[in-house]
Structure formats: C-alpha cells, structure tokens
Amino acid sequence: MTPDTLRNKSVEELAVLLGTDVREPQLKKLHDLGLPSKKSEAYRYFDIETLLCREYALLDYIPKAIQESDHVEIVDGTVVSAPKGMRIFYEACKHVEMEHFDPLYYLGHLLSPHVITIEIDGDAHVEIVHRFTRSNALINYRISLENQSNRHAIVYERFEDDAVRDTLVLYGYDMRIAPNSTLRVLKTQTLHPENYAMVASHNVHVEREANALLKSFDFGGGLGLQMLRIVLEDHAHVEAGHLLYLNSESRRGTVSQIIHKGEHATSSQEAKNILDGHSRGIFDALIRVDHSAKYSKAHQNSKAVLLDESAYMAAKPQLEIYIDELEASHGSTTGQLDKKQLFYLQSRGISVTEARKMLVIAFANTLIEKVKDSRQQERIKEEFEKAFYTVHKKDAS
Amino acid sequence: MKTVLEIENVHAKIGEKEILKGLNLKLEPGKVHAIMGPNGAGKSTLSKTIVGHYDVTLTGGDIRYKGKSINDMEPEERALEGIFLSFQHPVEIPGVNNAYFLRTALNAKRRHEGKEELNAAEFLRLMKSHLEMLGMKSDMISRSLNEGFSGGEKKRNEILQMLILEPEVIILDEIDSGLDIDALRAVSEGINKMKDGKRSFLVITHYSRILDYIEPDYIHVLKDGRIIKTAGPELVEQLEDKGYESIEEDSAS
C-alpha cells in the first residue's frame, strides 16, 4: 500500500480503498482533514510526504496466544506477552475522539478497527515494549488504555527493533484517565536514521480531578512525531514533559493541543530540546482555554540548545484563551551551551566532549530527575549517553 | 635557577586590545610568587593566558611548562598536566552535581596519569576529609556546582578542587576578594596545606592581606602588560606605603 494513494479522494473512494463502511464517521473526518502534506500546519516541519509516498507491505494482525511475561510486549502491532492476570484484549474502540486535529489519527483507527485494550489494575507499574521486526512495512495499531478511579498507575514505554528498514509505524493511545486517579506514562525511544519512522497520534481524556503525567524522552536520529490531544475536565491536571536529543538529519518532536474544558483545570507543558548535527526539533504546541474553563492555570515552555550551527528548532508555543479568570504563561528560548561553564569544566581537566555532555545532561535533568524510579531514571540517562556518544567520541577509560 | 613555568616575551590580546606586552616571568618549583599591580595592568589576563582561556589570543612569545611549550594545548590538557586556576568569579552550573563534577575531574586526571579511577565511595571518603578542614557543610557536595553559593563558599569550593586535584602549578586569581576573615583563614590554611616544597603558586592579588597568611617568596609588580619589578616579600611594605607609582622598573625587565 502507498498511503499517498488516499490523497484527494472522495469519501466513497476512501471507503473502497480502505475496505470500510462509507457511513463510518472516521472516514468523513479523514476526508475533511485530508491526508497530511507539507502544507498541513501540524506537519509543516516534518517530511510526511516522503513517508506517505513509499510503498509498504500491509500486515495481517492475527491475535496470538499471549505468553506470560513481566512486561507487555507488542511485536509488529500484535500483543505477544503480558504479566499474568493483566486484562488485555482486542475490541472495537469505545472512545474514538471526533475532534482530533490529526488525520493520521483517523487513518490509524480506520486501518485498525480493533484496538488493543489494556486495563490497568490498581496501582500497577506496567512496562510496555514495542518491537518492530518487519522492513518496508506499514505497521499500524492502536491501544486503548484504561485505569481505575482513585488509583495511581505508571506505564513505562520503550521501543526496540530488529534493524528494520524503511518501515512506517502509525500507532497511538486512546486514554481515558479515570476520575480521581493518576496515570503516569513515560516513553523512551531512540530512533536510527535508516530504521523505522513513526507518527504516534494520541488522544488523552483526563476526567474530573484526575492527573495525567506524560513524559517523552526521544533520542537519536530518524523521523518521529508525536501528535497529542489532551482534554481536561473539571479540576483535572496534566503535566507534559518532552525531552529531545537529536542528531544527524533527524526530524522529531511534538505537536500538541491541550484543551481546558472544565473549571479549575491545570496544565503544565515543558519541552527541552538538544539538537546536534543537521537535526530539526519540533515543538508546535497549543493550549486552548475554553469558555467553560474558568480558573484554569496553563503554563507552557520550550527551551532549546543547539550543539551544531546546522541544527534548527521549530518552536511554536501558543495560548488560545477565551476567558479572563485564569493564570497562564508561555515562552520559548533557543541558544547554545554557555562558554563560561564549558571552559570552567575544561579547566579542571574534563574533555570538551565530557563537558558538553555534562552540560546537556544538566539542561535535561529537570525532566529526567522527575522520574521517581531510580532504575528507570538511570536507564533514560544511559540511553541518552548512548545516543550522545554516537556523535561525540567518548573519552577512553 | 630551576623553573617549572616560564613565560617568555608573551604578547596577548583580548578582542583587538593588546593587554600583555612582552611579559616575562619564571616560576620556581616550591615557591610562592605573588603578582601585584594596579587595576587594568593585565593580572587576570595573565592567568587566563596560562590556562588557555577562549577570551585571550596569544600573539607572541612562549609559555613553557616543565620545559615544554603549552601554547597550542587545549585548556583541559593544561589542567591534566598539572596547571590549576582558582577563578576570581567561579561560574554557577545548575544541574551539575558538585561531587559528580569533582569525581569526573579527578578520574580524568587519574586516567591521564595511568592510575585506577576512584569509585563513588572512595571518592566521598577523600572529599569528606577535606570538607571539615575548609569549614564546608557536607551538603555542599550534593548541591549543584556553585549554584546559590555565597562568595566565600565559592572560593572554598575552588580550594576544595585544588586539594583534590593536587596540581603542580596553582594560580590563585584574587582568591581573597569577597572573603571575611574566617573564610580567608580557612582558604589560606587550605593553600598552605598544599605547600610541599615542590608545588608552585602564583598568587594574583590587589591587597597584601592574603600575603599575611600565605608567605610569598617573590613579589612581581605587573604594570601595563609587563612585569616591571621582581623582589622579595619586603616589597609589599613599600607598595602599601607608597603605591605602584613609587616602583621603578628593573633594568632587566
């Protein structure tokens, strides 16, 4: 399949091409939004057309018997293992959002009418490993994540691949964060330029008095974009943090919409971007405070450090506010490492590579150190260092 | 005369302005050399030039450490060879843990010398042994490097680094500025502890106060980018009484 063949087609033609009912509302949404191009605002800084013009093999998603394991493993879009007793099953998605800004969110649902539903029990800590093994494939799957009221669960998400080439992964979550609960989702992903590209299109509904903590740690090269739509009900809270360390010709980042719908909702979004080589970081983020969302608090900030003069940061923090009763701020800075700090470290015998690494880690630490689990925190630091040392020669030890 | 560091006819500029104009200086092993001079004479530029600061462009002359030119060495190479600068204004680096920074620096030096690296526990034992002597609180090692430190704490932290890294040539750029009498005494004790008859000190100062604690062997007067006089400690008294204008240039300078 070449996704680009879906471009500029009527609803009827799309229904035929995707093998779906012409009355399917998601089909109309895909048609109305149109397949993304470089002219689409959300994909302006991302080479989406190149990805959509390729020919991919479509995979058959045949549910397998789920083996027992200490973590959830999803291989090429199919669940292969999970912890004992965890409820994981395939079903039609109950909560497709009809106001999502991303056409690939709808394409994802149309290609995967049955989503993987994961019910998180109690205060569980769940690790989800996504593995990709097929080259030249379009791997498409969606996950519906549900937690329980009055519970505090954590999901750690990471990605592995068997050196696949030219694969496009479209996946994403539909999350409903139950009232009075907390759900933390921490994603760590290192991409390599020649491997798979990914568009992750998420929809998060934060119910009354619930807390969502969504952290992404994205390292390396390649093409990857996360499209995030978050809706906040009364007294709901979201804390979103995005750390990018990019190298080579990478194009990665976050395009998001956080919508304050209920009163007294709070949002805090922080992006830290460290850009090496010819990479391009993307932070195109909107916080919208609706008429109904009195007494909201909304704060948004993006900071970028350019380690190479060819690197580029596309930062576009935006606030769209329809009420007076709120507290809001947003800002964006882009700069280089502080020469004085760098020299100070060098003057103590620390090599320029190590000094740069120490300063970029220090820059990133406000996000990394918020990860309470020390094992996970250490793993994130190690993954960052691995990506960093692919570009900068490590000192012999 | 044996020398550990020899600065010969050095010319250096910052931006387009020439600051050092043919400076000559020899540091003897085990001796304390004090550099005094009026504002704008080039004292801090001298220290920056020795450690290879990015602000300074060396336009002429040679700096030799143990007989080898260091003109083309990177700042970290000079540090690994044993040259240490205690900064007049140490920078704050939020997010870089003080202990982690110092262990990284120490292990870089140990690697350079072909020694085993110290693990975290060994390093902490070493660090704690120095903290008490310097009157530093133990929580300073877990804080970010110099972040939120008072002027005195920053200077003590510089001395702590010096004690741990054990350099051979120690340049103290106005180490006494901003210190109260207790801090000055603690810092001086740290410096005196490092005197072993082999290490050389270059103490850059405006005032003679620090020299009451660290007894110098030589006083050099730096004026308009050159050392114009070198004498024994008795010169301090003359400078205190009559100022820099009273100093006549040595014929050999």
Side-chain angles (χ1 to χ4, degrees):
Chain A
M1 178 199 188
T2 304
D4 205 58
T5 55
L6 303 173
R7 195 179 296 285
N8 301 325
K9 295 287 189 287
S10 66
V11 173
E12 291 73 19
E13 288 169 322
L14 285 174
V16 173
L17 288 166
L18 293 168
T20 189
D21 189 330
V22 75
R23 290 166 299 181
E24 177 58 70
Q26 295 153 34
L27 202 61
K28 184 165 184 328
K29 287 297 298 185
L30 175 62
H31 172 264
D32 292 349
L33 289 167
L35 210 60
S37 70
K38 60 187 171 193
K39 289 182 183 166
S40 312
E41 195 55 35
Y43 286 89
R44 197 171 150 197
Y45 302 101
F46 188 74
D47 298 333
I48 189 67
E49 286 183 42
T50 313
L51 294 174
L52 297 181
C53 286
R54 288 187 192 147
E55 170 76 25
Y56 300 101
L58 276 179
L59 306 184
D60 292 326
Y61 298 93
I62 302 163
K64 294 177 180 167
I66 297 174
Q67 304 294 313
E68 191 180 319
S69 167
D70 61 351
H71 62 271
V72 177
E73 186 166 1
I74 302 172
V75 177
D76 297 331
T78 302
V79 182
V80 298
S81 67
K84 190 177 180 185
M86 176 173 269
R87 279 176 52 78
I88 299 188
F89 49 91
Y90 294 84
E91 63 171 355
C93 187
K94 291 179 284 196
H95 310 292
V96 180
E97 170 60 51
M98 294 314 291
E99 298 294 328
H100 208 291
F101 60 94
D102 181 20
L104 296 188
Y105 171 82
Y106 295 105
L107 179 62
H109 272 291
L110 288 163
L111 290 171
S112 298
H114 288 88
V115 300
I116 301 163
T117 295
I118 302 177
E119 290 183 359
I120 300 175
D121 195 22
D123 299 332
H125 290 206
V126 179
E127 190 167 2
I128 300 177
V129 180
H130 305 259
R131 180 185 289 280
F132 309 116
T133 67
R134 297 283 300 271
S135 291
N136 302 104
L138 177 63
I139 299 175
N140 183 89
Y141 59 106
R142 294 207 56 86
I143 300 166
S144 175
L145 201 59
E146 295 176 10
N147 69 335
Q148 295 172 329
S149 294
N150 303 306
R151 295 295 190 166
H152 308 285
I154 305 181
V155 173
Y156 297 106
E157 195 184 22
R158 62 190 169 87
F159 297 79
E160 295 176 356
D161 72 283
D162 297 352
V164 297
R165 295 186 73 87
D166 298 325
T167 281
L168 173 61
V169 178
L170 301 179
Y171 100 111
Y173 287 99
D174 287 281
M175 293 184 208
R176 285 195 90 80
I177 301 179
N180 293 299
S181 72
T182 300
L183 182 64
R184 292 179 165 83
V185 180
L186 282 88
K187 168 207 169 199
T188 311
Q189 186 177 30
T190 299
L191 282 179
H192 302 284
E194 66 278 10
N195 293 21
Y196 66 94
M198 172 178 274
V199 178
S201 204
H202 305 303
N203 187 65
V204 183
H205 200 104
V206 190
E207 299 279 13
R208 187 183 168 82
E209 295 191 18
N211 291 299
L213 287 96
L214 310 171
K215 301 289 163 77
S216 56
F217 300 93
D218 291 323
F219 307 132
L223 299 173
L225 200 57
Q226 63 173 351
M227 317 296 278
L228 200 52
R229 186 176 191 274
I230 301 167
V231 174
L232 301 173
E233 298 291 353
D234 287 353
H235 293 273
H237 172 69
V238 66
E239 188 180 316
H242 318 290
L243 177 64
L244 275 185
Y245 168 69
L246 304 185
N247 55 40
S248 62
E249 304 280 341
S250 182
R251 303 279 185 270
R252 291 176 71 181
T254 298
V255 178
S256 67
Q257 288 187 357
I258 297 175
I259 293 143
H260 284 245
K261 202 171 146 197
E263 291 187 356
H264 295 280
T266 55
S267 64
S268 168
Q269 188 175 28
E270 184 182 16
K272 295 257 180 137
N273 312 283
I274 303 152
L275 306 176
D276 232 326
H278 295 264
S279 66
R280 182 188 297 167
I282 300 162
F283 179 67
D284 183 349
L286 169 75
I287 297 182
R288 193 181 85 203
V289 183
D290 285 351
H291 292 286
S292 55
K294 284 181 182 171
Y295 318 115
S296 286
K297 286 184 184 175
H299 298 285
Q300 187 185 49
N301 194 280
S302 166
K303 287 183 180 164
V305 170
L306 307 180
L307 299 183
D308 190 294
E309 58 187 24
S310 306
Y312 178 73
M313 181 68 209
K316 201 174 149 196
Q318 306 147 78
L319 289 173
E320 197 177 304
I321 292 167
Y322 294 97
I323 54 164
D324 293 327
E325 302 88 346
L326 89 164
E327 181 186 305
S329 68
H330 71 157
S332 170
T333 58
T334 300
Q336 293 168 333
L337 290 179
D338 186 312
K339 273 165 76 173
K340 282 185 185 168
Q341 293 179 340
L342 203 55
F343 180 77
Y344 188 85
L345 298 177
Q346 286 178 268
S347 77
R348 298 301 182 245
I350 297 170
S351 71
V352 70
T353 300
E354 278 303 303
R356 283 162 75 92
K357 191 203 81 181
M358 285 170 84
L359 293 181
V360 295
I361 280 272
F363 174 76
N365 259 349
T366 50
L367 285 176
I368 296 175
E369 288 182 351
K370 280 184 186 162
V371 178
K372 300 291 177 215
D373 183 315
S374 58
R375 191 175 63 91
Q376 294 290 342
Q377 193 187 108
E378 209 46 48
R379 199 170 54 73
I380 291 166
K381 283 187 181 174
E382 277 172 19
E383 201 150 331
F384 164 76
E385 287 189 2
K386 206 171 151 191
F388 185 82
Y389 287 131
T390 60
V391 179
H392 305 275
K393 193 172 177 295
K394 189 180 180 181
D395 290 352
S397 58
Chain B
M1 180 176 71
K2 278 179 106 176
T3 60
V4 62
L5 188 77
E6 189 171 359
I7 300 168
E8 187 183 355
N9 193 28
V10 158
H11 292 255
K13 60 181 187 178
I14 292 182
E16 289 306 307
K17 191 175 179 190
E18 186 173 47
I19 310 285
L20 302 183
K21 303 167 181 173
L23 188 141
N24 293 293
L25 180 67
K26 289 177 181 176
L27 298 193
E28 293 178 33
K31 302 292 183 188
V32 177
H33 296 253
I35 299 262
M36 301 183 77
N39 290 332
K43 299 188 297 295
S44 288
T45 303
L46 171 61
S47 66
K48 286 179 169 178
T49 306
I50 297 170
V51 295
H53 193 276
Y54 57 85
D55 268 351
V56 180
T57 309
L58 189 67
T59 55
D62 197 15
I63 305 172
R64 285 186 293 277
Y65 175 68
K66 295 180 179 173
K68 194 168 79 177
S69 176
I70 60 168
N71 289 7
D72 297 327
M73 275 189 183
E74 295 297 325
E76 59 269 32
E77 293 174 297
R78 299 180 198 212
L80 292 172
E81 288 294 325
I83 299 173
F84 179 91
L85 169 64
S86 163
F87 287 81
Q88 186 179 351
H89 302 293
V91 293
E92 297 190 6
I93 312 188
V96 172
N97 173 281
N98 205 12
Y100 171 67
F101 152 70
L102 252 177
R103 187 157 77 94
T104 305
L106 177 61
N107 280 336
K109 187 155 192 280
R110 290 178 71 89
R111 268 200 311 274
H112 182 74
E113 293 167 350
K115 294 178 183 166
E116 283 272 302
E117 294 185 22
L118 293 192
N119 63 32
E122 291 167 330
F123 175 75
L124 274 178
R125 273 198 295 277
L126 173 70
M127 197 151 172
K128 279 180 179 165
S129 68
H130 294 301
L131 285 174
E132 200 175 328
M133 190 270 289
L134 286 169
M136 291 172 77
K137 293 175 195 153
S138 57
D139 73 336
M140 285 175 71
I141 60 175
S142 55
R143 285 163 61 184
S144 286
L145 178 54
N146 292 326
E147 190 186 29
F149 285 22
S150 68
E153 285 173 330
K154 283 180 183 170
K155 294 296 171 81
R156 286 175 208 236
N157 203 32
E158 294 290 284
I159 300 304
L160 174 67
Q161 293 168 30
M162 181 188 80
L163 289 166
I164 283 175
L165 296 174
E166 299 186 326
E168 291 176 57
V169 168
I170 295 162
I171 305 161
L172 303 162
D173 189 2
E174 301 204 15
I175 190 74
D176 49 345
S177 68
L179 294 187
D180 63 28
I181 200 73
D182 292 335
L184 182 64
R185 191 173 293 128
V187 162
S188 302
E189 275 177 30
I191 295 166
N192 286 330
K193 196 180 169 194
M194 293 293 287
K195 287 185 182 175
D196 64 353
K198 293 176 191 161
R199 286 196 178 90
S200 303
F201 293 81
L202 185 62
V203 184
I204 293 171
T205 183
H206 264 300
Y207 306 105
S208 60
R209 196 172 61 147
I210 184 89
L211 303 177
D212 293 338
Y213 294 93
I214 312 163
E215 293 170 14
D217 296 292
Y218 298 101
I219 305 292
H220 308 275
V221 178
L222 176 60
K223 201 173 170 186
D224 195 24
R226 290 186 308 128
I227 301 291
I228 61 161
K229 189 169 188 69
T230 294
E234 68 282 356
L235 185 62
V236 176
E237 210 169 311
Q238 185 189 336
L239 287 169
E240 286 286 302
D241 289 347
K242 297 177 183 170
Y244 294 110
E245 289 303 317
S246 70
I247 302 298
E248 285 183 20
E249 189 168 338
D250 285 341
S251 54
S253 297

